[in-house]
Amino acid sequence: MSYLFTAPRTLLIAFIGCLWLIGPPDMLMAGEPVTGFRDLKFGMTQQEVTKLEACSSAQECIYELSDKNRYFNLLYGGDETENEPVQTALKIQGSGLARITIDMGQYTEAWYKQLQRILGDSYQLTQDISQEQIQAFLGQQLPELISGYENGQVLLVVTRRKFGNMVLKVIYQSPEMAQAFLHAKSPS
């Protein structure tokens, strides 16, 4: 059973609250745009991606990260997806590589903290999780919690699957995709 479901809510809220003390997102400035991940660069064509040694197709690659093989799912401008904000962004993206989703495996508190540290060492946290989002996630009204780095170009995502277990994902996305993420997150 995962930590979020077994620990008291106050402990989780205190943990996330400590993250806010370290660096509230409104006080942080983002750095240079992220151009991709390793040899996967935003704007690459499907043909260019399939030539990479780590990629078995234009949509799937496997790289070793943190001593494990990690599955990468790739989306290109014009691709179809059920996620409406992502679909909208893909329509305006063009035809090149737009989004790299890395499956980081099952959620554990220790693995989540380690990923936060890894990402925080390389990227500036610019969108953190709010107390309202935590409450909605714990109340099962929100399926995921998302922290954004570098103005939404890098995301750390905790996703609850329909059977209750949780997984972690790290997402790298083009500046256009990041803008769509920020637009979707901003109050209307």
Side-chain angles (χ1 to χ4, degrees):
M1 200 128 182
S2 70
Y3 174 77
L4 284 175
F5 291 116
T6 59
R9 287 181 180 197
T10 54
L11 186 58
L12 175 64
I13 292 168
F15 167 69
I16 299 295
C18 288
L19 295 176
W20 278 88
L21 293 174
I22 293 170
D26 58 323
M27 295 175 57
L28 298 172
M29 304 282 287
E32 293 294 314
V34 176
T35 59
F37 183 84
R38 291 193 180 171
D39 51 354
L40 292 168
K41 303 297 180 199
F42 299 125
M44 290 178 81
T45 66
Q46 292 186 19
Q47 292 77 22
E48 290 171 321
V49 169
T50 56
K51 291 178 183 176
L52 298 175
E53 187 177 320
C55 301
S56 61
S57 73
Q59 284 74 33
E60 299 175 349
C61 302
I62 294 180
Y63 286 87
E64 185 177 320
L65 300 173
S66 300
D67 299 323
K68 290 189 178 184
N69 285 332
R70 303 290 178 183
Y71 174 76
F72 285 48
N73 183 292
L74 310 178
L75 286 176
Y76 298 83
D79 281 356
E80 298 289 324
T81 180
E82 293 179 16
N83 183 317
E84 192 173 317
V86 172
Q87 181 67 46
T88 300
L90 287 170
K91 285 181 182 176
I92 61 170
Q93 170 66 37
S95 61
L97 180 61
R99 194 170 212 231
I100 304 163
T101 301
I102 307 169
D103 181 348
M104 298 305 287
Q106 286 292 116
Y107 170 91
T108 67
E109 179 186 14
W111 184 220
Y112 180 72
K113 285 181 181 181
Q114 185 178 354
L115 285 172
Q116 284 181 314
R117 241 185 338 272
I118 291 168
L119 292 174
D121 287 346
S122 299
Y123 307 109
Q124 192 104 61
L125 179 68
T126 52
Q127 294 81 31
D128 207 350
I129 301 166
S130 71
Q131 293 296 330
E132 294 80 19
Q133 290 168 324
I134 294 168
Q135 292 301 321
F137 185 78
L138 291 172
Q140 299 191 16
Q141 296 134 358
L142 191 62
E144 27 184 48
L145 291 174
I146 304 172
S147 297
Y149 298 81
E150 299 298 332
N151 287 325
Q153 279 206 268
V154 181
L155 307 175
L156 175 56
V157 183
V158 179
T159 302
R160 180 186 302 107
R161 292 183 173 166
K162 59 182 161 182
F163 297 111
N165 65 328
M166 294 183 295
V167 294
L168 291 165
K169 296 177 187 173
V170 174
I171 298 173
Y172 287 82
Q173 49 190 11
S174 69
E176 296 83 5
M177 295 293 292
Q179 285 301 312
F181 164 76
L182 293 173
H183 181 71
K185 299 260 313 164
S186 68
S188 298

